[in-house]
Amino acid sequence: SPRCFQPNGASEEALRCEIEELKQKDLALDQEIAQLLSEGYSLEELEKHISLLHEYNEIKDAGQMLLGKLAVIRGVTTKQLYPEYDLELSD
């Protein structure tokens, strides 16, 4: 948050502030997990979804990297390759 920003980032106060922000994020995540559990999701199911999202993101990143390299080789933009591979710009 802006109130905690310190240019050098190493002051004791900045570190305290960062710890407090992390505690708040942790609490928010715990509350979100509790909400999902109350809606009938299991921890195993949530962990599986998270794992699948990580895998999807890794595959997507690899695809983007390959498209970027191909675009450089062809001397075009990545955006210009999307129609050739039936990709949407939002992909």
Side-chain angles (χ1 to χ4, degrees):
S1 90
R3 69 177 178 78
C4 292
F5 177 74
Q6 297 286 327
N8 65 8
S11 76
E12 192 173 321
E13 182 60 30
L15 292 174
R16 268 202 266 315
C17 191
E18 186 175 351
I19 289 169
E20 186 57 37
E21 287 178 355
L22 290 172
K23 286 180 181 178
Q24 292 299 320
K25 286 180 184 180
D26 185 49
L27 179 61
L29 288 172
D30 285 345
Q31 290 171 340
E32 189 175 342
I33 289 170
Q35 175 67 34
L36 290 168
L37 291 174
S38 74
E39 292 174 8
Y41 293 97
S42 70
L43 284 177
E44 294 80 18
E45 186 178 11
L46 293 173
E47 289 171 3
K48 179 67 174 172
H49 283 283
I50 290 169
S51 175
L52 289 172
L53 283 171
H54 284 296
E55 184 177 349
Y56 167 80
N57 284 329
E58 289 172 4
I59 292 168
K60 184 176 176 182
D61 289 345
Q64 289 292 325
M65 183 183 69
L66 291 172
L67 276 177
K69 290 183 182 285
L70 184 58
V72 169
I73 291 168
R74 292 189 182 177
V76 298
T77 66
T78 306
K79 183 178 177 180
Q80 291 171 307
L81 294 176
Y82 273 58
E84 183 177 339
Y85 295 98
D86 296 321
L87 298 171
E88 298 292 325
L89 288 177
S90 60
D91 286 341

